[in-house]
Amino acid sequence: MRTRWLFALSAAFGLLLAAFAQTPTLTIQAARPAAQASPILYGLMTEEINHSYDGGLYAELIRNRAFMDDRRAPAHWAVVHDAASAARIALDPSRPLDRALPTSLRLEVTQASGAHPAGVANDGYDGIPVRPHTRYRVAFYAKAAPGFTGPVAVSIENGHGRQVYARGEVSGLTTHWRHYRLFLQTGDAAPAAQARFVLALRQPATIWLSLVSLFPPTWRNQPNGFRPDLMQMLVDLKPRFLRFPGGNFLEGNTIAQRFDWKKTIGPLRNRPGHWGPWGYRSTDGMGLLEFLRWAEDLHAQPVLAVYAGYSLRQQHVAPGPALAPFVQDALDEIQYVIGPVTSRWGAARARDGHPKPFPLHYVEIGNEDFFDRSHSYPARFAQFQRAIHARYPQLICISTIGTEHPSGWAAMRQDHPRMLDEHYYEPAHKFLADTAHFDGYPRRGPEIFVGEWASYETSFPPWNPRSKPLPPTPDMLSALADAAWMTGLERNSDIVKMQAYAPMLVNVGRGLRQWRPDLIGYDALHVFGSPSYYAIRMFSRNYGNWILASTLTDPALPVSVTENSRTGEIFIKLVNPQPAAQPLRIRLEGVRRLQPAALAITLSAPPDATNSITRRRNVVPRRAVLNGIQPAFAYTLPADSITVLRLRLRPAPALLNAGSSAPPRRPGAE
Ligand code: AHR
């Protein structure tokens, strides 16, 4: 009996030992950092797609405010009247406000009275959002046929006009264009997303309207500003750079439809807007200066993409004299961004309200020029780079052909670009298996900017029409893959200097999206982050200035470790893409003592779990304090999880190495 007991005991002990021996071990070389981590690794990529700006970040609520979305009819505007009133509306190109805005809206009220007004309503971007106790800024240009001077009643009301949330009026109309401004104030009304904006007359008359605008409160109350809830989501990501204005939006379908920056600055009445490549017209209310201000508000540096002579429908400008005006345009644009106020374009920036130059270090020459079947990019890039370096030798020019396009890169390398923008849209399983993608990149350069990347959960790519009925934002499976991919970006952030998920924004309202998956979704009233948004937020907010080498005995668990040498914090990022919890042993070599209290931030959910406009916080990170942490400790990763462990050296090395920029010396390093 006793022998059987002993046998059972030793068998159990053996099993335990075997299990322990099989427990994967993460060993972190904490004594000597492997390389410096890029201080600008985490950033944002942005363009006008999915109504990112118009109907998105740019807070304007009126859709088709200058009546140019459709040449045949005033899209998104409708007559409002009741049984005892009547009106008609039409585009009127014979009475434009300005050269840039070559049409206006004629409103002819044929029957109306005080009790029965008639007018025109705008339905916004899938509804005008109403919030209680909120002040809206209205502005429009108007003129009237002789004999009518007003008033024009202005209101925000529900879809049937039965509930008026806010009202005001303007008078003093003349037969000439004049600008009218007023505020509308809402009261106690509950938030509503499907309201409309109405301009109405209480007597028969004819008026013309142009540039009709309605802004809710904006981020820091800036005029022509940004939607605060969306800005907050972006600020929370702590981005270090902002790449703009595209993407395809930079190039346009044709050369004429490129992002022509000179037409996007100055007063709104001088901005014609243009047809974008994603199937709708851009107001360009979000123009070059607004992009720069946006970067400034985010405390991020701009990464300016300049049009480089290639547009999506295979139109290109031949390198040489034909390209020279486009090169000059880019030089002017750079001067607008960083030139002194004594320069021509620096002065224009000052006139537009921003005398201080912006901090610019990177200029991207075009976008995805590997699509250019004329193979003219190496020569176009060389022409741009030569001219930019002659005037601004400090700027780094980014090539849009990288090593992920080997034949294009073979032709490109003679131009010696300092940085390459590489794009990766891959299925989730591929990201999970490719976390070592950048491990073998040569350390002498060129440096890498992963300017667009995202995983997708489907067996077909995002541009396949089968993506259309799927949710706009990615699920947890993608978040796991995206986090795994980011561990590879971080571990290689000595050579991968910048990276950004794309696309970033999507309006999930009816008919407003062109692409999935996208990082952040919103409708007129609400905003939500996808699981991938939270994964990126966890990564970018917990990131050091040194990369620590690490080895993990289970290669299926992606990992990255960085250290902040100033605070003595160590950030361990781990991804467990498996459906079972994973025990782990963690050893920090070269460290004698850690603060016993550490922080674990975890995003964990079944692979098909996600967030949506109705379940906005279904998958969000959780924080937990860990106690008793030592240089060797055990930790169990939950199933399907992304984990950041935040440990702290004791004492912080900054206290030992005060004022030194050398790699941190470990307290009690072996
Ligand atoms: O992010 C969506 C599109 O993908 C970008 O506009 C383009 O650069 C890429 O092909």
Side-chain angles (χ1 to χ4, degrees):
M1 178 74 185
R2 189 155 170 254
T3 357
R4 266 176 54 200
W5 225 93
L6 271 176
F7 182 76
L9 203 69
S10 69
F13 188 63
L15 276 178
L16 205 71
L17 268 184
F20 195 62
Q22 279 165 13
T23 302
T25 301
L26 171 65
T27 307
I28 298 166
Q29 306 299 326
R32 202 156 23 89
Q36 218 154 359
S38 167
I40 53 168
L41 180 64
Y42 289 96
L44 304 176
M45 181 307 177
T46 164
E47 67 172 319
E48 181 58 282
I49 182 174
N50 301 322
H51 288 272
S52 292
Y53 313 140
D54 288 346
L57 182 80
Y58 181 55
E60 173 67 81
L61 296 177
I62 302 297
R63 189 163 181 188
N64 192 18
R65 67 183 177 187
F67 310 106
M68 287 166 66
D69 281 10
D70 183 339
R71 263 191 234 154
R72 293 154 308 175
H76 300 285
W77 292 91
V79 169
V80 282
H81 66 97
D82 63 18
S85 64
R88 49 181 174 252
I89 55 171
L91 296 178
D92 190 347
S94 72
R95 287 187 171 71
L97 168 69
D98 225 308
R99 262 214 324 231
L101 307 180
T103 194
S104 62
L105 184 79
R106 187 176 64 241
L107 165 64
E108 269 181 272
V109 172
T110 50
Q111 187 187 348
S113 64
H116 301 281
V120 64
N122 187 270
D123 59 2
Y125 294 90
D126 200 20
I128 301 274
V130 176
R131 292 190 164 84
H133 304 289
T134 302
R135 203 160 82 130
Y136 294 76
R137 190 194 293 249
V138 180
F140 58 90
Y141 289 88
K143 64 191 242 173
F148 180 72
T149 58
V152 176
V154 184
S155 60
I156 302 174
E157 50 188 56
N158 76 355
H160 311 290
R162 283 188 208 113
Q163 186 176 1
V164 177
Y165 301 108
R167 67 170 95 235
E169 60 179 47
V170 299
S171 295
L173 270 69
T174 70
T175 52
H176 300 288
W177 285 113
R178 276 184 53 194
H179 203 204
Y180 299 88
R181 294 189 190 92
L182 73 154
F183 288 104
L184 296 181
Q185 175 76 40
T186 57
D188 276 334
Q194 295 295 331
R196 64 187 190 183
F197 173 77
V198 177
L199 294 171
L201 310 186
R202 297 186 200 109
Q203 67 184 80
T206 298
I207 65 168
W208 288 264
L209 298 163
S210 187
L211 207 54
V212 182
S213 172
L214 173 71
F215 269 82
T218 55
W219 179 257
R220 298 200 177 128
N221 272 324
Q222 283 160 356
N224 204 43
F226 313 126
R227 190 173 150 171
D229 51 356
L230 263 175
M231 267 305 274
Q232 192 58 55
M233 292 286 283
L234 303 180
V235 166
D236 289 348
L237 285 174
K238 248 183 117 184
R240 277 61 158 201
F241 69 86
L242 180 73
R243 172 181 170 225
F244 63 82
N248 290 359
F249 186 61
L250 169 72
E251 307 165 86
N253 283 332
T254 62
I255 296 173
Q257 290 177 356
R258 70 191 185 280
F259 182 82
D260 194 352
W261 72 272
K262 284 176 183 160
K263 295 183 178 158
T264 74
I265 56 171
L268 295 180
R269 62 182 289 171
N270 296 344
R271 300 188 199 183
H274 73 287
W275 193 259
W278 294 106
Y280 60 95
R281 203 182 159 81
S282 162
T283 64
D284 292 339
M286 188 82 190
L288 178 60
L289 186 66
E290 286 75 22
F291 281 115
L292 292 163
R293 281 206 166 119
W294 179 18
E296 186 171 68
D297 285 353
L298 293 170
H299 304 292
Q301 59 174 275
V303 173
L304 177 70
V306 297
Y307 179 74
Y310 167 72
S311 294
L312 293 160
R313 290 192 187 147
Q314 293 301 323
Q315 290 189 357
H316 83 279
V317 184
L323 193 62
F326 294 89
V327 174
Q328 187 55 49
D329 233 34
L331 291 173
D332 293 347
E333 187 172 7
I334 294 169
Q335 192 180 70
Y336 185 89
V337 179
I338 57 176
V341 295
T342 47
S343 64
R344 176 173 174 209
W345 290 104
R349 184 192 64 238
R351 266 198 312 279
D352 293 342
H354 203 289
K356 195 170 159 218
F358 292 91
L360 182 72
H361 306 292
Y362 295 94
V363 176
E364 179 149 8
I365 312 300
N367 177 60
E368 293 194 338
D369 288 81
F370 46 82
F371 281 124
D372 173 11
R373 289 201 289 270
S374 76
H375 305 295
S376 62
Y377 188 61
R380 288 189 285 111
F381 178 87
Q383 195 172 339
F384 273 86
Q385 178 165 259
R386 234 182 356 259
I388 291 173
H389 281 170
R391 286 270 284 279
Y392 305 103
Q394 77 279 18
L395 294 180
I396 295 173
C397 292
I398 304 173
S399 157
T400 72
I401 297 185
T403 61
E404 88 281 36
H405 297 282
S407 61
W409 171 236
M412 206 39 235
R413 58 190 320 156
Q414 83 227 0
D415 288 330
H416 302 294
R418 277 245 330 249
M419 185 175 262
L420 313 179
D421 179 0
E422 300 193 348
H423 294 178
Y424 297 89
Y425 294 103
E426 303 288 359
H429 67 84
K430 198 158 170 212
F431 264 8
L432 282 164
D434 196 25
T435 60
H437 187 91
F438 297 98
D439 289 4
Y441 272 50
R443 269 28 209 181
R444 62 181 183 282
E447 295 174 338
I448 303 298
F449 172 28
V450 186
E452 295 179 26
W453 64 261
S455 75
Y456 47 92
E457 326 85 322
T458 47
S459 56
F460 43 85
W463 44 92
N464 186 307
R466 286 156 75 194
S467 280
K468 272 212 167 117
L470 300 179
T473 51
D475 66 13
M476 185 65 193
L477 174 64
S478 264
L480 290 164
D482 292 341
W485 176 249
M486 280 190 291
T487 62
L489 298 172
E490 251 195 22
R491 278 189 290 97
N492 288 286
S493 68
D494 56 327
I495 191 72
V496 179
K497 296 291 174 184
M498 301 188 281
Q499 56 84 18
Y501 186 102
M504 181 168 79
L505 299 173
V506 61
N507 189 321
V508 304
R510 286 166 292 180
L512 297 172
R513 114 178 187 217
Q514 289 79 46
W515 183 290
R516 83 166 299 276
D518 308 289
L519 201 61
I520 299 170
Y522 45 90
D523 63 9
L525 264 188
H526 302 110
V527 179
F528 70 97
S530 64
S532 292
Y533 166 85
Y534 288 106
I536 294 174
R537 198 167 101 170
M538 285 164 64
F539 272 53
S540 72
R541 295 169 71 101
N542 295 285
Y543 174 60
N545 54 339
W546 291 95
I547 303 163
L548 300 187
S550 61
T551 46
L552 184 48
T553 51
D554 181 346
L557 299 174
V559 62
S560 151
V561 189
T562 57
E563 178 191 343
N564 182 332
S565 62
R566 285 175 288 275
T567 62
E569 278 175 298
I570 292 182
F571 306 100
I572 306 174
K573 287 157 184 157
L574 285 152
V575 182
N576 178 17
Q578 296 148 8
Q582 176 62 65
L584 208 62
R585 287 187 291 168
I586 300 177
R587 278 190 337 119
L588 286 97
E589 282 188 354
V591 169
R592 287 222 183 109
R593 282 194 308 165
L594 287 167
Q595 299 267 16
L599 185 66
I601 309 166
T602 312
L603 189 69
S604 162
D608 61 351
T610 197
N611 295 331
S612 66
I613 201 74
T614 46
R615 299 190 71 201
R616 296 188 287 280
R617 295 188 56 80
N618 186 40
V619 183
V620 291
R622 313 258 169 237
R623 295 160 81 92
V625 174
L626 311 176
N627 288 305
I629 296 298
Q630 295 180 3
F633 65 101
Y635 188 78
T636 297
L637 303 173
D640 304 308
S641 67
I642 301 161
T643 300
V644 176
L645 298 178
R646 208 167 153 152
L647 320 179
R648 196 182 279 270
L649 294 168
R650 204 164 92 172
L655 302 178
L656 299 176
N657 303 314
S660 157
S661 63
R665 190 164 55 82
R666 294 287 158 274
E670 284 149 8

